[in-house]
Every structure is written in C-alpha cells, then in structure tokens.
Amino acid sequence: DNGGQSDEAASIGNYGVKGQEYQPKCCPVETKTHDFPDKILGKAIPYGIYDLLDNNGFVNVGVDHDTAALAVNSIRTYLNEMGKERFPAMSKLMITADSGGSNGRRNKLWKVELQKLADEFSIDITVCHFPPGTSKWNKIERRLFSYISKNWRGRPLVDMATVVNLIANTKTETGLTVRCVEDRNVYPTKIKVADKELTKVNLEPDAFHGEWNYTIKAKTKNIK
C-alpha cells in the first residue's frame, strides 16, 4: 500500500478554491475574499492509503494536527474498514511512504506508533521510504490525490460533510474508487520520543539503505 498525507489540507468554510466549476451564468457562487482559518469549522487534513493492485483508495480526514499519530491511526482505520476484509489472512504489511513529514524516516513517533499498530494486529510492517526529493514518484499522488484535487476544484469546502462527500465520490474511468471517513481525534503536537523509548521498537533495518527501508516486527503473534 501507498500511504501519505495530501498537500490539499484546506481550511473549511465558504472560501474560494482554485479551479473551475460550471454554474448558471446568472448565479455565481459568492465566497469570502480571504481564507483565514475559521476557529469553529477548522481545517481538513486528508491522509490517504492507496491499494496499488486493487486501485482502491481510503482517506482519513483529520481535523486537528498532521502528526505521526494521525498517520498511523489512518492506517489503523483503513485496516479495520477495508484491509481485514480484503486480506483476511494478513500477516505482513508493506507501506511505501515519503521521506519527510508526519510519516518521515526520521520521525521517531512514527516508528513508535507503528510498533503499537504491529502489536495490535500481530503483523510485521515493512516501510520503504522514497529517497529525498523523489516523492513526486509516489503513486498515491498521481493515482489518488490528483483525482481528489480535480474533484473538489472550484467548489467551496463549506463543511466537513462536503469534504468527505467530494473525496468519497472521486472515481475514474480506470476503476478508482475511494472510501472516506472523518477523524475527530485530537493529535497533540511537539510530542518528544526519548531515545530509550525508541529502543523498545522492534525495528530491523534492511541491508539496502536501512535508514529508508526497515521492518517493525510485532512483539507477539496470534496463533491461527
């Protein structure tokens, strides 16, 4: 699976959105001239998972902060909503991710949270980060988020329901379908992970660029 946060994090409200949408000539949609964040409506932070083989996307829309905890909980939600049904005998999970950001290779919290996920589902999680400067080759950008961006282009994101519906209604002629959910959890920022805590992560670096490619093994395995 591909995983990644979208560059399309946006303020929710009656703001103008780049692009075009057809409307009756007499009735243009009026929007605010400045997109200062609304403290009540907040913002939408889409975090996506894309199944390369099945051409299916899953987007978890956070409303708080873009952190490693949001990234991993998005994967957790995907597994509960779609993954366990599609892969009932799953024992391993492979994720390709960008090199930086909330799921970056240097993000300690990302690895700590992945260990929790591995233990929770009793699976080994292999992560392959794209080298710095190559995130444009991440297929989730071209096969999922690019179509989501086209679908909501030119339409004001007046509330969270609009965001979720626009994402969930994204489809392509090649068969892309997307499921979308809202994540109302709070994700605090500036959480520091001590080196001692990081040593508890059961991480095995790959022989080839272990700083980019590694497996986090579950500490306990269910006997099936």
Side-chain angles (χ1 to χ4, degrees):
D1 287 355
N2 273 129
Q5 66 272 37
S6 170
D7 292 333
E8 296 296 328
S11 296
I12 299 175
N14 190 30
Y15 307 120
V17 179
K18 292 180 179 180
Q20 295 180 337
E21 182 184 40
Y22 289 105
Q23 292 284 345
K25 187 175 181 180
C26 63
C27 309
V29 176
E30 295 185 1
T31 61
K32 296 180 180 179
T33 56
H34 299 286
D35 59 351
F36 298 118
D38 188 303
K39 293 182 179 180
I40 297 177
L41 295 176
K43 56 186 176 181
I45 308 169
Y47 192 97
I49 292 91
Y50 176 68
D51 187 327
L52 292 170
L53 296 179
D54 208 36
N55 197 22
N56 280 336
F58 178 84
V59 179
N60 185 49
V61 184
V63 298
D64 191 43
H65 296 101
D66 181 11
T67 70
L70 169 64
V72 174
N73 193 52
S74 298
I75 300 170
R76 176 182 290 108
T77 307
Y78 160 76
L79 292 175
N80 284 321
E81 294 276 339
M82 297 176 65
K84 288 194 294 187
E85 180 179 351
R86 172 156 161 72
F87 307 104
M90 176 176 54
S91 61
K92 300 177 181 179
L93 177 66
M94 180 176 176
I95 301 169
T96 60
D98 289 344
S99 183
S102 58
N103 58 359
R105 64 186 180 91
R106 294 179 178 173
N107 193 318
K108 296 179 181 179
L109 183 61
W110 160 252
K111 295 172 182 176
V112 169
E113 292 292 329
L114 279 181
Q115 181 68 70
K116 295 177 184 177
L117 185 68
D119 295 342
E120 179 181 339
F121 286 89
S122 297
I123 57 175
D124 295 339
I125 301 175
T126 296
V127 182
C128 297
H129 290 282
F130 283 83
T134 63
S135 61
K136 65 181 179 180
W137 301 113
N138 192 338
K139 287 183 172 59
I140 196 171
E141 300 294 342
R142 292 179 287 138
R143 294 188 181 181
L144 178 62
F145 283 133
S146 63
Y147 293 109
I148 291 173
S149 299
K150 291 178 182 178
N151 203 43
W152 75 13
R153 188 165 293 169
R155 189 174 304 184
L157 307 175
V158 294
D159 52 31
M160 182 58 73
T162 299
V163 173
V164 171
N165 287 334
L166 285 173
I167 293 175
N169 285 310
T170 301
K171 294 180 175 63
T172 67
E173 294 180 355
T174 58
L176 172 69
T177 58
V178 184
R179 186 180 300 183
C180 183
V181 298
E182 179 183 354
D183 188 336
R184 282 282 171 186
N185 291 315
V186 175
Y187 296 101
T189 59
K190 300 180 181 179
I191 295 178
K192 294 184 178 180
V193 175
D195 291 338
K196 184 177 181 180
E197 185 177 1
L198 190 61
T199 60
K200 296 179 182 179
V201 176
N202 192 10
L203 187 150
E204 291 186 2
D206 191 79
F208 179 78
H209 280 290
E211 74 277 21
W212 297 338
N213 309 296
Y214 50 85
T215 297
I216 295 178
K217 291 184 170 292
K219 295 178 181 178
T220 57
K221 286 292 186 77
N222 291 333
I223 300 176
K224 298 182 180 180

